[in-house]
Amino acid sequence: MADTDTPVQPRKTGLTRRQKRRLSRAAQYVVFAAAVIAAALAADWGRLKNQFAQVDIAKELFPDIITVALKNTVLYTLSGFVVGLALGMVIALMRLSSVGPYRWLAGIYIEIFRGLPALLIFIFVGVGVPLAFPHIEYPGGTYGKVAVALGLVSAAYMAETIRAGIQAVPKGQMEAARSLGFSPARAMVSIVLPQAFRIIMPPLTNELVLLFKDSSLVLFLGVTLEERELSKFGNDLASTTANSTPILVAGLCYLLITIPLSLVVRRMETKALKEIR
């Protein structure tokens, strides 16, 4: 008589895919925590405190670090952003122009100023231009120099951002405006650009954050005590006190501006993604 018993299937003892993911995540947390604890135990916190966290030295920085250094940093950044935005708008429109020489000039500008380090641009504006044109003076003195230097640095990036925003607006918007009797220039200003700027606000705000940090290059232009920004202010006081606490406090002042701006960028990006969906 044939054996009709069904063979017994071996019981699976391996972990499921979900359990493997949990185990992998737990292992990563353990490794990270172990690395943090090891670094904390290995660091000489006493020496770090003596060099970077002297409360008495930090108190001496106020209020000048706010009323002079931080104020100048904000002014330099905003002036450079305005110049860069205006110049970037012109370059973006030249890049989209049907006139060949305009497109070529805009492309050359973008490639050059995106490829050069910002430090070289500051040296060119602060040293090269006065040597080449000795009778020309920047309006506003150092503030004018910084506005031009930061504007040249940011304009190349803003131009590409603005161009991408304009091209992201459906072509039907321009066609609809033209059918209503709008001229190309008026349709661009009244219809296309407002929609483009709504798209590119997050990357433009991010560019503002980058400019805020690039303003530290002002020290290469040679500034007076009343024209110092955060990096120059912190570096001067660190040399005077032979302590790095002023540099740490200056870094914290940078974070007072950059962190809120970064949060604004994230909120804008999240809102834009929700609108797309």
Side-chain angles (χ1 to χ4, degrees):
M1 188 175 182
D3 188 2
T4 58
D5 292 340
T6 304
V8 178
Q9 296 291 335
R11 188 175 181 179
K12 294 183 179 180
T13 58
L15 297 175
T16 64
R17 186 175 300 176
R18 189 173 185 179
Q19 290 173 329
K20 289 180 180 179
R21 284 200 299 267
R22 288 181 176 177
L23 183 61
S24 175
R25 191 179 300 114
Q28 293 176 35
Y29 281 124
V30 170
V31 171
F32 176 76
V36 171
I37 293 172
L41 294 175
D44 190 338
W45 294 103
R47 295 182 65 183
L48 286 174
K49 181 181 178 182
N50 290 334
Q51 186 63 27
F52 290 97
Q54 290 292 330
V55 177
D56 294 339
I57 294 177
K59 288 181 179 179
E60 294 176 0
L61 305 179
F62 294 90
D64 288 349
I65 194 170
I66 302 296
T67 59
V68 175
L70 182 59
K71 181 199 73 174
N72 284 334
T73 300
V74 172
L75 289 177
Y76 292 149
T77 303
L78 292 179
S79 61
F81 183 81
V82 171
V83 172
L85 184 61
L87 183 57
M89 174 74 70
V90 173
I91 295 171
L93 294 176
M94 290 174 63
R95 184 81 164 170
L96 296 172
S97 174
S98 58
V99 181
Y102 287 169
R103 294 197 308 272
W104 304 333
L105 286 174
I108 291 171
Y109 177 91
I110 290 171
E111 294 303 322
I112 290 177
F113 283 90
R114 283 200 308 182
L116 287 175
L119 174 59
L120 293 182
I121 297 175
F122 268 80
I123 294 174
F124 170 74
V125 170
V127 180
V129 172
L131 287 175
F133 306 98
H135 301 294
I136 295 179
E137 294 185 1
Y138 291 97
T142 300
Y143 293 94
K145 289 181 184 179
V146 177
V148 172
L150 287 177
L152 291 174
V153 170
S154 61
Y157 296 94
M158 289 190 189
E160 286 295 86
T161 301
I162 295 170
R163 179 186 62 81
I166 292 173
Q167 291 180 326
V169 177
K171 293 182 179 180
Q173 297 290 322
M174 175 64 81
E175 295 171 355
R178 293 300 307 279
S179 66
L180 293 174
F182 283 67
S183 66
R186 186 183 174 191
M188 176 64 70
V189 172
S190 302
I191 305 299
V192 177
L193 285 180
Q195 297 182 65
F197 270 90
R198 185 179 180 184
I199 296 170
I200 63 177
M201 279 304 295
L204 284 182
T205 308
N206 194 49
E207 182 64 29
L208 181 61
V209 175
L210 296 177
L211 275 183
F212 192 79
K213 294 184 289 185
D214 284 342
S215 66
S216 61
L217 296 173
V218 171
L219 62 91
F220 291 98
L221 296 179
V223 294
T224 65
L225 293 178
E226 294 301 317
E227 294 172 341
R228 291 179 296 177
E229 42 69 54
L230 284 171
S231 292
K232 176 65 173 173
F233 185 90
N235 186 61
D236 288 349
L237 269 294
S239 300
T240 302
T241 60
N243 191 274
S244 299
T245 300
I247 295 176
L248 177 63
V249 177
L252 294 176
C253 289
Y254 276 107
L255 294 179
L256 287 176
I257 304 296
T258 57
I259 289 179
L261 283 177
S262 298
L263 294 176
V264 169
V265 172
R266 292 194 191 98
R267 290 181 66 88
M268 287 180 175
E269 290 174 345
T270 302
K271 185 178 179 180
L273 288 175
K274 288 181 179 179
E275 291 178 354
I276 293 173
R277 292 173 183 173

